[in-house]
Short mmCIF file of all heavy atoms in Angstrom, two decimals:
data_model
loop_
_atom_site.label_atom_id
_atom_site.label_comp_id
_atom_site.label_asym_id
_atom_site.label_seq_id
_atom_site.Cartn_x
_atom_site.Cartn_y
_atom_site.Cartn_z
N MET A 297 -17.40 9.71 -13.72
CA MET A 297 -16.56 8.75 -13.01
C MET A 297 -15.34 8.38 -13.83
O MET A 297 -15.43 8.24 -15.03
CB MET A 297 -17.36 7.49 -12.69
CG MET A 297 -17.66 7.41 -11.21
SD MET A 297 -18.51 5.96 -10.61
CE MET A 297 -17.84 4.61 -11.57
N ALA A 298 -14.22 8.21 -13.15
CA ALA A 298 -12.99 7.85 -13.85
C ALA A 298 -13.13 6.44 -14.42
O ALA A 298 -13.68 5.56 -13.77
CB ALA A 298 -11.81 7.92 -12.90
N PRO A 299 -12.63 6.24 -15.63
CA PRO A 299 -12.69 4.89 -16.20
C PRO A 299 -11.82 3.92 -15.41
O PRO A 299 -10.76 4.29 -14.91
CB PRO A 299 -12.16 5.08 -17.63
CG PRO A 299 -11.46 6.38 -17.63
CD PRO A 299 -12.02 7.21 -16.52
N VAL A 300 -12.30 2.70 -15.28
CA VAL A 300 -11.63 1.67 -14.49
C VAL A 300 -11.17 0.56 -15.43
O VAL A 300 -11.86 0.21 -16.38
CB VAL A 300 -12.60 1.12 -13.42
CG1 VAL A 300 -12.04 -0.13 -12.74
CG2 VAL A 300 -12.90 2.20 -12.39
N ARG A 301 -9.97 0.06 -15.19
CA ARG A 301 -9.45 -1.06 -15.97
C ARG A 301 -8.96 -2.14 -15.02
O ARG A 301 -8.74 -1.89 -13.84
CB ARG A 301 -8.30 -0.60 -16.86
CG ARG A 301 -8.69 0.38 -17.95
CD ARG A 301 -9.57 -0.25 -19.00
NE ARG A 301 -9.90 0.67 -20.08
CZ ARG A 301 -10.94 1.51 -20.08
NH1 ARG A 301 -11.74 1.56 -19.04
NH2 ARG A 301 -11.17 2.29 -21.11
N THR A 302 -8.77 -3.33 -15.55
CA THR A 302 -8.30 -4.45 -14.76
C THR A 302 -6.85 -4.76 -15.10
O THR A 302 -6.50 -4.86 -16.28
CB THR A 302 -9.17 -5.69 -15.04
OG1 THR A 302 -10.52 -5.38 -14.73
CG2 THR A 302 -8.72 -6.87 -14.20
N CYS A 303 -6.02 -4.89 -14.07
CA CYS A 303 -4.63 -5.30 -14.28
C CYS A 303 -4.62 -6.75 -14.75
O CYS A 303 -5.22 -7.61 -14.10
CB CYS A 303 -3.84 -5.16 -12.98
SG CYS A 303 -2.21 -5.95 -13.04
N VAL A 304 -3.95 -7.02 -15.88
CA VAL A 304 -3.94 -8.39 -16.39
C VAL A 304 -2.97 -9.27 -15.62
O VAL A 304 -2.89 -10.47 -15.85
CB VAL A 304 -3.64 -8.44 -17.91
CG1 VAL A 304 -4.75 -7.77 -18.70
CG2 VAL A 304 -2.29 -7.81 -18.23
N GLY A 305 -2.21 -8.70 -14.68
CA GLY A 305 -1.34 -9.50 -13.83
C GLY A 305 -2.05 -9.98 -12.59
O GLY A 305 -2.16 -11.18 -12.36
N CYS A 306 -2.57 -9.05 -11.81
CA CYS A 306 -3.18 -9.43 -10.52
C CYS A 306 -4.69 -9.38 -10.56
O CYS A 306 -5.34 -9.74 -9.58
CB CYS A 306 -2.65 -8.52 -9.41
SG CYS A 306 -3.17 -6.79 -9.57
N ARG A 307 -5.26 -8.92 -11.67
CA ARG A 307 -6.71 -8.87 -11.86
C ARG A 307 -7.39 -7.82 -10.97
O ARG A 307 -8.61 -7.81 -10.88
CB ARG A 307 -7.39 -10.24 -11.63
CG ARG A 307 -6.70 -11.40 -12.32
CD ARG A 307 -6.71 -11.28 -13.81
NE ARG A 307 -8.06 -11.15 -14.38
CZ ARG A 307 -8.31 -10.94 -15.66
NH1 ARG A 307 -7.33 -10.81 -16.50
NH2 ARG A 307 -9.54 -10.84 -16.10
N ARG A 308 -6.63 -6.99 -10.29
CA ARG A 308 -7.26 -5.93 -9.51
C ARG A 308 -7.77 -4.85 -10.44
O ARG A 308 -7.16 -4.55 -11.46
CB ARG A 308 -6.26 -5.31 -8.54
CG ARG A 308 -6.29 -5.93 -7.16
CD ARG A 308 -5.56 -5.06 -6.15
NE ARG A 308 -4.13 -5.01 -6.43
CZ ARG A 308 -3.22 -5.79 -5.86
NH1 ARG A 308 -3.59 -6.68 -4.96
NH2 ARG A 308 -1.96 -5.69 -6.17
N ARG A 309 -8.89 -4.28 -10.08
CA ARG A 309 -9.43 -3.18 -10.85
C ARG A 309 -8.96 -1.87 -10.24
O ARG A 309 -8.88 -1.73 -9.03
CB ARG A 309 -10.97 -3.24 -10.85
CG ARG A 309 -11.51 -4.39 -11.69
CD ARG A 309 -12.94 -4.70 -11.37
NE ARG A 309 -13.83 -3.55 -11.60
CZ ARG A 309 -14.29 -3.18 -12.80
NH1 ARG A 309 -13.95 -3.88 -13.86
NH2 ARG A 309 -15.08 -2.15 -12.94
N ALA A 310 -8.60 -0.94 -11.10
CA ALA A 310 -8.10 0.35 -10.62
C ALA A 310 -8.44 1.41 -11.65
O ALA A 310 -8.66 1.10 -12.83
CB ALA A 310 -6.59 0.28 -10.41
N PRO A 311 -8.49 2.65 -11.21
CA PRO A 311 -8.68 3.73 -12.20
C PRO A 311 -7.61 3.63 -13.28
O PRO A 311 -6.44 3.38 -12.98
CB PRO A 311 -8.52 5.00 -11.36
CG PRO A 311 -8.83 4.59 -9.97
CD PRO A 311 -8.39 3.15 -9.85
N LYS A 312 -8.05 3.83 -14.49
CA LYS A 312 -7.16 3.72 -15.65
C LYS A 312 -5.88 4.54 -15.47
O LYS A 312 -4.80 4.13 -15.88
CB LYS A 312 -7.95 4.22 -16.87
CG LYS A 312 -7.34 4.05 -18.19
CD LYS A 312 -8.32 4.58 -19.24
CE LYS A 312 -7.68 4.68 -20.61
NZ LYS A 312 -8.63 5.29 -21.58
N ALA A 313 -6.01 5.70 -14.83
CA ALA A 313 -4.86 6.59 -14.68
C ALA A 313 -3.77 5.99 -13.79
O ALA A 313 -2.62 6.42 -13.85
CB ALA A 313 -5.31 7.93 -14.11
N LEU A 314 -4.13 4.99 -12.96
CA LEU A 314 -3.14 4.39 -12.07
C LEU A 314 -2.50 3.15 -12.67
O LEU A 314 -1.62 2.54 -12.06
CB LEU A 314 -3.79 4.04 -10.73
CG LEU A 314 -4.36 5.21 -9.93
CD1 LEU A 314 -4.92 4.72 -8.60
CD2 LEU A 314 -3.28 6.26 -9.69
N LEU A 315 -2.96 2.75 -13.84
CA LEU A 315 -2.40 1.56 -14.49
C LEU A 315 -1.58 1.99 -15.70
O LEU A 315 -1.63 3.14 -16.13
CB LEU A 315 -3.53 0.63 -14.93
CG LEU A 315 -4.40 0.09 -13.78
CD1 LEU A 315 -5.57 -0.70 -14.34
CD2 LEU A 315 -3.60 -0.76 -12.82
N VAL A 316 -0.79 1.05 -16.20
CA VAL A 316 0.05 1.32 -17.37
C VAL A 316 -0.53 0.57 -18.56
O VAL A 316 -0.83 -0.62 -18.46
CB VAL A 316 1.51 0.87 -17.11
CG1 VAL A 316 2.38 1.17 -18.32
CG2 VAL A 316 2.05 1.57 -15.88
N ARG A 317 -0.67 1.27 -19.67
CA ARG A 317 -1.26 0.64 -20.85
C ARG A 317 -0.18 0.05 -21.75
O ARG A 317 0.87 0.66 -21.97
CB ARG A 317 -2.05 1.68 -21.66
CG ARG A 317 -2.79 1.10 -22.85
CD ARG A 317 -3.54 2.21 -23.61
NE ARG A 317 -4.60 1.66 -24.44
CZ ARG A 317 -4.46 1.41 -25.76
NH1 ARG A 317 -3.33 1.67 -26.36
NH2 ARG A 317 -5.47 0.92 -26.44
N PHE A 318 -0.47 -1.14 -22.25
CA PHE A 318 0.36 -1.76 -23.28
C PHE A 318 -0.51 -2.04 -24.48
O PHE A 318 -1.70 -2.33 -24.34
CB PHE A 318 0.95 -3.09 -22.78
CG PHE A 318 1.94 -2.94 -21.66
CD1 PHE A 318 1.51 -2.93 -20.34
CD2 PHE A 318 3.28 -2.79 -21.92
CE1 PHE A 318 2.41 -2.78 -19.30
CE2 PHE A 318 4.20 -2.64 -20.89
CZ PHE A 318 3.76 -2.63 -19.57
N ALA A 319 0.09 -1.96 -25.65
CA ALA A 319 -0.63 -2.30 -26.87
C ALA A 319 0.35 -2.99 -27.81
O ALA A 319 1.56 -3.03 -27.56
CB ALA A 319 -1.21 -1.05 -27.51
N SER A 320 -0.19 -3.54 -28.88
CA SER A 320 0.65 -4.20 -29.87
C SER A 320 1.02 -3.21 -30.96
O SER A 320 0.15 -2.55 -31.53
CB SER A 320 -0.09 -5.39 -30.48
OG SER A 320 0.61 -5.84 -31.62
N LEU A 321 2.32 -3.12 -31.21
CA LEU A 321 2.77 -2.32 -32.35
C LEU A 321 3.41 -3.32 -33.33
O LEU A 321 4.50 -3.83 -33.06
CB LEU A 321 3.76 -1.25 -31.89
CG LEU A 321 4.26 -0.30 -32.98
CD1 LEU A 321 3.11 0.49 -33.59
CD2 LEU A 321 5.29 0.66 -32.40
N ARG A 322 2.71 -3.63 -34.39
CA ARG A 322 3.17 -4.61 -35.38
C ARG A 322 3.60 -5.91 -34.72
O ARG A 322 4.66 -6.47 -35.02
CB ARG A 322 4.30 -4.02 -36.23
CG ARG A 322 3.82 -2.89 -37.15
CD ARG A 322 4.92 -2.40 -38.06
NE ARG A 322 5.95 -1.66 -37.34
CZ ARG A 322 5.86 -0.37 -37.06
NH1 ARG A 322 4.81 0.33 -37.42
NH2 ARG A 322 6.83 0.23 -36.40
N GLY A 323 2.81 -6.38 -33.76
CA GLY A 323 3.08 -7.68 -33.16
C GLY A 323 4.05 -7.67 -32.00
O GLY A 323 4.36 -8.72 -31.45
N THR A 324 4.51 -6.50 -31.61
CA THR A 324 5.42 -6.39 -30.48
C THR A 324 4.73 -5.63 -29.36
O THR A 324 4.16 -4.55 -29.60
CB THR A 324 6.72 -5.65 -30.89
OG1 THR A 324 7.37 -6.41 -31.90
CG2 THR A 324 7.65 -5.51 -29.70
N LEU A 325 4.79 -6.19 -28.16
CA LEU A 325 4.19 -5.50 -27.03
C LEU A 325 4.94 -4.19 -26.78
O LEU A 325 6.16 -4.17 -26.69
CB LEU A 325 4.24 -6.38 -25.79
CG LEU A 325 3.40 -5.88 -24.61
CD1 LEU A 325 1.91 -6.03 -24.91
CD2 LEU A 325 3.75 -6.62 -23.33
N THR A 326 4.18 -3.12 -26.65
CA THR A 326 4.77 -1.79 -26.57
C THR A 326 4.11 -1.02 -25.43
O THR A 326 2.90 -1.05 -25.27
CB THR A 326 4.54 -1.03 -27.90
OG1 THR A 326 5.05 -1.81 -28.97
CG2 THR A 326 5.21 0.32 -27.89
N LEU A 327 4.96 -0.36 -24.66
CA LEU A 327 4.46 0.50 -23.59
C LEU A 327 3.75 1.70 -24.23
O LEU A 327 4.28 2.32 -25.15
CB LEU A 327 5.66 0.96 -22.76
CG LEU A 327 5.45 1.54 -21.37
CD1 LEU A 327 4.74 0.54 -20.48
CD2 LEU A 327 6.80 1.89 -20.79
N ASP A 328 2.57 1.96 -23.75
CA ASP A 328 1.77 3.02 -24.39
C ASP A 328 1.13 3.89 -23.30
O ASP A 328 -0.09 3.93 -23.16
CB ASP A 328 0.70 2.37 -25.27
CG ASP A 328 -0.14 3.39 -26.00
OD1 ASP A 328 0.35 4.50 -26.27
OD2 ASP A 328 -1.30 3.07 -26.29
N PRO A 329 1.96 4.57 -22.51
CA PRO A 329 1.42 5.29 -21.35
C PRO A 329 0.41 6.37 -21.74
O PRO A 329 -0.51 6.66 -20.98
CB PRO A 329 2.66 5.88 -20.68
CG PRO A 329 3.73 5.83 -21.71
CD PRO A 329 3.40 4.71 -22.64
N ALA A 330 0.59 6.97 -22.89
CA ALA A 330 -0.31 8.05 -23.29
C ALA A 330 -1.55 7.54 -24.01
O ALA A 330 -2.43 8.32 -24.35
CB ALA A 330 0.44 9.05 -24.16
N GLY A 331 -1.61 6.21 -24.23
CA GLY A 331 -2.78 5.66 -24.89
C GLY A 331 -2.90 6.09 -26.34
O GLY A 331 -4.00 6.27 -26.85
N LEU A 332 -1.77 6.22 -27.02
CA LEU A 332 -1.79 6.72 -28.39
C LEU A 332 -1.96 5.62 -29.43
O LEU A 332 -2.38 5.90 -30.54
CB LEU A 332 -0.48 7.47 -28.68
CG LEU A 332 -0.23 8.71 -27.81
CD1 LEU A 332 1.13 9.32 -28.11
CD2 LEU A 332 -1.33 9.74 -28.04
N LEU A 333 -1.59 4.39 -29.05
CA LEU A 333 -1.67 3.32 -30.05
C LEU A 333 -3.12 2.88 -30.23
O LEU A 333 -3.86 2.77 -29.26
CB LEU A 333 -0.81 2.13 -29.61
CG LEU A 333 0.70 2.40 -29.59
CD1 LEU A 333 1.44 1.18 -29.05
CD2 LEU A 333 1.19 2.74 -30.99
N PRO A 334 -3.48 2.62 -31.46
CA PRO A 334 -4.86 2.20 -31.72
C PRO A 334 -5.07 0.74 -31.33
O PRO A 334 -4.12 0.01 -31.08
CB PRO A 334 -4.98 2.37 -33.24
CG PRO A 334 -3.59 2.15 -33.74
CD PRO A 334 -2.68 2.71 -32.68
N GLY A 335 -6.29 0.36 -31.29
CA GLY A 335 -6.63 -1.04 -31.03
C GLY A 335 -6.76 -1.32 -29.55
O GLY A 335 -6.84 -0.41 -28.73
N ARG A 336 -6.75 -2.60 -29.26
CA ARG A 336 -6.97 -3.02 -27.88
C ARG A 336 -5.76 -2.71 -27.03
O ARG A 336 -4.63 -2.73 -27.50
CB ARG A 336 -7.29 -4.51 -27.83
CG ARG A 336 -8.56 -4.89 -28.58
CD ARG A 336 -8.80 -6.39 -28.52
NE ARG A 336 -8.99 -6.86 -27.16
CZ ARG A 336 -10.16 -6.82 -26.52
NH1 ARG A 336 -11.22 -6.33 -27.11
NH2 ARG A 336 -10.26 -7.26 -25.29
N GLY A 337 -6.00 -2.43 -25.76
CA GLY A 337 -4.93 -2.23 -24.82
C GLY A 337 -5.03 -3.24 -23.69
O GLY A 337 -6.09 -3.76 -23.41
N ALA A 338 -3.88 -3.51 -23.07
CA ALA A 338 -3.86 -4.34 -21.87
C ALA A 338 -3.18 -3.51 -20.78
O ALA A 338 -2.22 -2.80 -21.05
CB ALA A 338 -3.07 -5.63 -22.13
N TYR A 339 -3.70 -3.61 -19.59
CA TYR A 339 -3.23 -2.74 -18.50
C TYR A 339 -2.60 -3.57 -17.40
O TYR A 339 -3.06 -4.67 -17.09
CB TYR A 339 -4.40 -1.94 -17.92
CG TYR A 339 -4.96 -0.94 -18.90
CD1 TYR A 339 -5.84 -1.34 -19.90
CD2 TYR A 339 -4.60 0.40 -18.83
CE1 TYR A 339 -6.35 -0.43 -20.82
CE2 TYR A 339 -5.10 1.31 -19.74
CZ TYR A 339 -5.98 0.89 -20.73
OH TYR A 339 -6.46 1.80 -21.63
N THR A 340 -1.53 -3.04 -16.80
CA THR A 340 -1.00 -3.64 -15.57
C THR A 340 -0.74 -2.53 -14.56
O THR A 340 -0.65 -1.36 -14.90
CB THR A 340 0.35 -4.39 -15.78
OG1 THR A 340 1.40 -3.45 -15.97
CG2 THR A 340 0.29 -5.35 -16.96
N CYS A 341 -0.61 -2.97 -13.29
CA CYS A 341 -0.14 -2.05 -12.27
C CYS A 341 1.28 -1.63 -12.65
O CYS A 341 1.97 -2.34 -13.37
CB CYS A 341 -0.10 -2.74 -10.90
SG CYS A 341 -1.66 -3.46 -10.38
N PRO A 342 1.72 -0.48 -12.16
CA PRO A 342 3.07 -0.03 -12.51
C PRO A 342 4.15 -0.73 -11.70
O PRO A 342 4.97 -0.10 -11.04
CB PRO A 342 3.03 1.48 -12.21
CG PRO A 342 1.99 1.61 -11.16
CD PRO A 342 0.98 0.51 -11.40
N ASN A 343 4.15 -2.05 -11.71
CA ASN A 343 5.24 -2.77 -11.05
C ASN A 343 5.58 -4.02 -11.84
O ASN A 343 4.75 -4.59 -12.55
CB ASN A 343 4.88 -3.09 -9.59
CG ASN A 343 3.72 -4.06 -9.49
OD1 ASN A 343 3.83 -5.22 -9.87
ND2 ASN A 343 2.59 -3.57 -8.99
N ALA A 344 6.84 -4.44 -11.71
CA ALA A 344 7.34 -5.53 -12.53
C ALA A 344 6.67 -6.86 -12.18
O ALA A 344 6.50 -7.72 -13.05
CB ALA A 344 8.86 -5.65 -12.36
N ALA A 345 6.25 -7.02 -10.93
CA ALA A 345 5.65 -8.29 -10.54
C ALA A 345 4.37 -8.56 -11.34
O ALA A 345 4.14 -9.66 -11.83
CB ALA A 345 5.35 -8.29 -9.04
N CYS A 346 3.53 -7.54 -11.46
CA CYS A 346 2.29 -7.72 -12.22
C CYS A 346 2.60 -7.96 -13.69
O CYS A 346 1.98 -8.78 -14.34
CB CYS A 346 1.38 -6.51 -12.05
SG CYS A 346 0.55 -6.47 -10.45
N PHE A 347 3.60 -7.25 -14.21
CA PHE A 347 3.95 -7.43 -15.62
C PHE A 347 4.44 -8.86 -15.87
O PHE A 347 4.01 -9.52 -16.81
CB PHE A 347 5.03 -6.42 -16.02
CG PHE A 347 5.44 -6.57 -17.45
CD1 PHE A 347 4.73 -5.92 -18.44
CD2 PHE A 347 6.50 -7.38 -17.79
CE1 PHE A 347 5.08 -6.09 -19.77
CE2 PHE A 347 6.86 -7.55 -19.12
CZ PHE A 347 6.15 -6.89 -20.11
N GLU A 348 5.34 -9.33 -14.98
CA GLU A 348 5.89 -10.67 -15.16
C GLU A 348 4.80 -11.73 -15.06
O GLU A 348 4.79 -12.71 -15.79
CB GLU A 348 6.97 -10.94 -14.11
CG GLU A 348 8.21 -10.07 -14.25
CD GLU A 348 8.94 -10.30 -15.57
OE1 GLU A 348 8.83 -11.40 -16.13
OE2 GLU A 348 9.59 -9.36 -16.05
N ARG A 349 3.89 -11.53 -14.14
CA ARG A 349 2.81 -12.49 -13.98
C ARG A 349 1.94 -12.52 -15.24
O ARG A 349 1.56 -13.58 -15.72
CB ARG A 349 1.97 -12.15 -12.75
CG ARG A 349 1.09 -13.30 -12.34
CD ARG A 349 0.09 -12.96 -11.27
NE ARG A 349 0.66 -12.30 -10.09
CZ ARG A 349 -0.03 -12.07 -8.99
NH1 ARG A 349 -1.28 -12.46 -8.90
NH2 ARG A 349 0.52 -11.43 -7.99
N ALA A 350 1.65 -11.34 -15.75
CA ALA A 350 0.82 -11.28 -16.96
C ALA A 350 1.54 -11.93 -18.13
O ALA A 350 0.93 -12.67 -18.91
CB ALA A 350 0.51 -9.82 -17.28
N ALA A 351 2.84 -11.67 -18.26
CA ALA A 351 3.59 -12.25 -19.36
C ALA A 351 3.64 -13.77 -19.22
O ALA A 351 3.48 -14.50 -20.21
CB ALA A 351 5.00 -11.67 -19.39
N GLY A 352 3.83 -14.26 -18.00
CA GLY A 352 3.92 -15.70 -17.78
C GLY A 352 2.61 -16.41 -18.06
O GLY A 352 2.60 -17.57 -18.46
N ARG A 353 1.51 -15.73 -17.86
CA ARG A 353 0.20 -16.34 -18.09
C ARG A 353 -0.30 -16.07 -19.51
O ARG A 353 -1.43 -16.36 -19.83
CB ARG A 353 -0.82 -15.80 -17.07
CG ARG A 353 -0.52 -16.23 -15.65
CD ARG A 353 -1.33 -15.41 -14.63
NE ARG A 353 -2.75 -15.44 -14.94
CZ ARG A 353 -3.51 -14.35 -15.07
NH1 ARG A 353 -3.00 -13.17 -14.90
NH2 ARG A 353 -4.77 -14.45 -15.35
N ARG A 354 0.53 -15.48 -20.33
CA ARG A 354 0.15 -15.12 -21.69
C ARG A 354 -1.08 -14.23 -21.71
O ARG A 354 -1.90 -14.25 -22.63
CB ARG A 354 -0.09 -16.37 -22.55
CG ARG A 354 1.15 -17.26 -22.64
CD ARG A 354 0.90 -18.53 -23.45
NE ARG A 354 0.50 -18.25 -24.82
CZ ARG A 354 1.33 -17.90 -25.79
NH1 ARG A 354 2.61 -17.78 -25.52
NH2 ARG A 354 0.90 -17.67 -27.00
N ALA A 355 -1.21 -13.42 -20.68
CA ALA A 355 -2.40 -12.57 -20.56
C ALA A 355 -2.40 -11.47 -21.61
O ALA A 355 -3.47 -11.02 -22.02
CB ALA A 355 -2.46 -11.97 -19.15
N PHE A 356 -1.23 -11.04 -22.05
CA PHE A 356 -1.22 -9.98 -23.07
C PHE A 356 -1.78 -10.51 -24.39
O PHE A 356 -2.60 -9.85 -25.03
CB PHE A 356 0.21 -9.44 -23.26
CG PHE A 356 0.71 -8.68 -22.08
CD1 PHE A 356 1.75 -9.17 -21.31
CD2 PHE A 356 0.13 -7.46 -21.73
CE1 PHE A 356 2.21 -8.46 -20.20
CE2 PHE A 356 0.59 -6.75 -20.63
CZ PHE A 356 1.63 -7.26 -19.86
N THR A 357 -1.33 -11.69 -24.76
CA THR A 357 -1.84 -12.30 -26.00
C THR A 357 -3.35 -12.48 -25.93
O THR A 357 -4.07 -12.18 -26.87
CB THR A 357 -1.14 -13.65 -26.23
OG1 THR A 357 0.23 -13.39 -26.56
CG2 THR A 357 -1.78 -14.42 -27.37
N ARG A 358 -3.81 -12.95 -24.79
CA ARG A 358 -5.25 -13.18 -24.65
C ARG A 358 -6.02 -11.87 -24.67
O ARG A 358 -7.06 -11.74 -25.33
CB ARG A 358 -5.53 -13.93 -23.35
CG ARG A 358 -6.08 -15.32 -23.58
CD ARG A 358 -6.37 -16.03 -22.27
NE ARG A 358 -5.16 -16.23 -21.47
CZ ARG A 358 -5.01 -15.81 -20.22
NH1 ARG A 358 -5.98 -15.18 -19.61
NH2 ARG A 358 -3.89 -16.02 -19.57
N THR A 359 -5.54 -10.89 -23.93
CA THR A 359 -6.28 -9.64 -23.82
C THR A 359 -6.25 -8.85 -25.13
O THR A 359 -7.25 -8.26 -25.52
CB THR A 359 -5.69 -8.79 -22.68
OG1 THR A 359 -5.71 -9.57 -21.48
CG2 THR A 359 -6.49 -7.53 -22.47
N LEU A 360 -5.10 -8.88 -25.79
CA LEU A 360 -4.99 -8.12 -27.04
C LEU A 360 -5.54 -8.91 -28.23
O LEU A 360 -5.65 -8.37 -29.32
CB LEU A 360 -3.52 -7.74 -27.29
CG LEU A 360 -2.90 -6.85 -26.21
CD1 LEU A 360 -1.42 -6.66 -26.46
CD2 LEU A 360 -3.61 -5.51 -26.15
N ARG A 361 -5.84 -10.19 -27.99
CA ARG A 361 -6.42 -11.05 -29.03
C ARG A 361 -5.51 -11.16 -30.23
O ARG A 361 -5.96 -11.22 -31.37
CB ARG A 361 -7.82 -10.56 -29.43
CG ARG A 361 -8.80 -10.67 -28.28
CD ARG A 361 -10.18 -10.31 -28.69
NE ARG A 361 -11.08 -10.31 -27.53
CZ ARG A 361 -12.27 -9.74 -27.53
NH1 ARG A 361 -12.72 -9.14 -28.60
NH2 ARG A 361 -13.02 -9.79 -26.46
N GLN A 362 -4.22 -11.20 -29.97
CA GLN A 362 -3.27 -11.49 -31.04
C GLN A 362 -1.96 -11.90 -30.38
O GLN A 362 -1.69 -11.54 -29.24
CB GLN A 362 -3.05 -10.28 -31.93
CG GLN A 362 -2.49 -9.08 -31.21
CD GLN A 362 -2.18 -7.93 -32.15
OE1 GLN A 362 -1.16 -7.92 -32.82
NE2 GLN A 362 -3.07 -6.95 -32.20
N ALA A 363 -1.17 -12.67 -31.12
CA ALA A 363 0.14 -13.06 -30.61
C ALA A 363 1.02 -11.83 -30.54
O ALA A 363 1.14 -11.08 -31.50
CB ALA A 363 0.76 -14.10 -31.52
N VAL A 364 1.59 -11.59 -29.37
CA VAL A 364 2.51 -10.47 -29.23
C VAL A 364 3.84 -10.96 -28.70
O VAL A 364 3.91 -11.81 -27.82
CB VAL A 364 1.97 -9.35 -28.29
CG1 VAL A 364 0.89 -8.54 -28.96
CG2 VAL A 364 1.51 -9.91 -26.97
N GLU A 365 4.88 -10.44 -29.27
CA GLU A 365 6.23 -10.72 -28.81
C GLU A 365 6.52 -9.74 -27.68
O GLU A 365 6.24 -8.55 -27.79
CB GLU A 365 7.20 -10.52 -29.96
CG GLU A 365 8.61 -10.99 -29.67
CD GLU A 365 9.50 -10.83 -30.90
OE1 GLU A 365 9.00 -11.08 -32.01
OE2 GLU A 365 10.65 -10.40 -30.73
N ILE A 366 7.08 -10.26 -26.58
CA ILE A 366 7.41 -9.39 -25.45
C ILE A 366 8.89 -9.08 -25.49
O ILE A 366 9.72 -9.96 -25.26
CB ILE A 366 6.99 -10.05 -24.13
CG1 ILE A 366 5.46 -10.27 -24.16
CG2 ILE A 366 7.40 -9.18 -22.95
CD1 ILE A 366 4.90 -10.93 -22.94
N PRO A 367 9.25 -7.87 -25.83
CA PRO A 367 10.67 -7.55 -25.99
C PRO A 367 11.37 -7.53 -24.65
O PRO A 367 10.79 -7.17 -23.63
CB PRO A 367 10.65 -6.15 -26.62
CG PRO A 367 9.34 -5.57 -26.24
CD PRO A 367 8.38 -6.72 -26.07
N PRO A 368 12.64 -7.96 -24.62
CA PRO A 368 13.38 -7.94 -23.35
C PRO A 368 13.52 -6.50 -22.85
O PRO A 368 13.66 -5.57 -23.64
CB PRO A 368 14.75 -8.54 -23.72
CG PRO A 368 14.85 -8.43 -25.20
CD PRO A 368 13.45 -8.45 -25.74
N GLY A 369 13.44 -6.35 -21.56
CA GLY A 369 13.67 -5.04 -20.97
C GLY A 369 12.43 -4.17 -20.86
O GLY A 369 12.48 -3.12 -20.23
N ILE A 370 11.32 -4.63 -21.43
CA ILE A 370 10.11 -3.82 -21.31
C ILE A 370 9.60 -3.91 -19.87
O ILE A 370 9.66 -4.96 -19.25
CB ILE A 370 9.05 -4.26 -22.33
CG1 ILE A 370 7.87 -3.27 -22.35
CG2 ILE A 370 8.57 -5.68 -22.06
CD1 ILE A 370 6.88 -3.53 -23.49
N SER A 371 9.18 -2.78 -19.32
CA SER A 371 8.77 -2.75 -17.93
C SER A 371 7.74 -1.66 -17.72
O SER A 371 7.83 -0.59 -18.34
CB SER A 371 9.98 -2.48 -17.03
OG SER A 371 9.55 -2.09 -15.74
N PRO A 372 6.76 -1.90 -16.87
CA PRO A 372 5.77 -0.88 -16.59
C PRO A 372 6.25 0.15 -15.57
O PRO A 372 5.54 1.10 -15.26
CB PRO A 372 4.60 -1.67 -16.04
CG PRO A 372 5.25 -2.81 -15.34
CD PRO A 372 6.49 -3.14 -16.15
N GLU A 373 7.46 -0.05 -15.03
CA GLU A 373 7.94 0.86 -14.01
C GLU A 373 8.58 2.08 -14.67
O GLU A 373 9.43 1.93 -15.53
CB GLU A 373 8.93 0.14 -13.09
CG GLU A 373 8.26 -1.00 -12.34
CD GLU A 373 9.24 -1.75 -11.44
OE1 GLU A 373 10.44 -1.47 -11.50
OE2 GLU A 373 8.77 -2.61 -10.69
N GLY A 374 8.17 3.22 -14.23
CA GLY A 374 8.70 4.43 -14.81
C GLY A 374 10.12 4.62 -14.41
O GLY A 374 10.95 5.17 -15.05
ZN1 ZN B 166 -1.58 -5.71 -10.82
#
């Protein structure tokens, strides 16, 4: 079975392949579509609304269990 993850914006569960992974790179939230960064990841749907909601609720910090800076211009939309 395909692995399932939860979008930290809308809380919907979806196959991992349909979500976008973010991880912390030295304290900065970083898009990690290939899943190359080590450590915990946070996933959102590939749309800005879910990303903005997650950022507004500090869901990345909570999910990644560390303070992360969200750089301007970062977006899950390809
Ligand atoms: Zn979502």
Side-chain angles (χ1 to χ4, degrees):
M297 252 184 38
V300 170
R301 294 292 183 272
T302 302
C303 169
V304 295
C306 67
R307 313 297 302 175
R308 266 195 293 265
R309 289 163 59 80
K312 188 178 169 184
L314 298 182
L315 298 174
V316 181
R317 185 181 200 263
F318 293 89
S320 168
L321 183 61
R322 292 185 289 276
T324 299
L325 192 71
T326 305
L327 197 59
D328 182 28
L332 298 176
L333 293 176
R336 298 179 62 84
Y339 293 80
T340 73
C341 304
N343 66 66
C346 284
F347 180 86
E348 293 298 333
R349 195 189 309 188
R353 294 166 53 233
R354 300 178 60 78
F356 292 112
T357 291
R358 246 181 298 124
T359 304
L360 299 173
R361 295 185 185 164
Q362 61 175 280
V364 285
E365 189 176 322
I366 299 179
I370 189 171
S371 164
E373 296 179 353

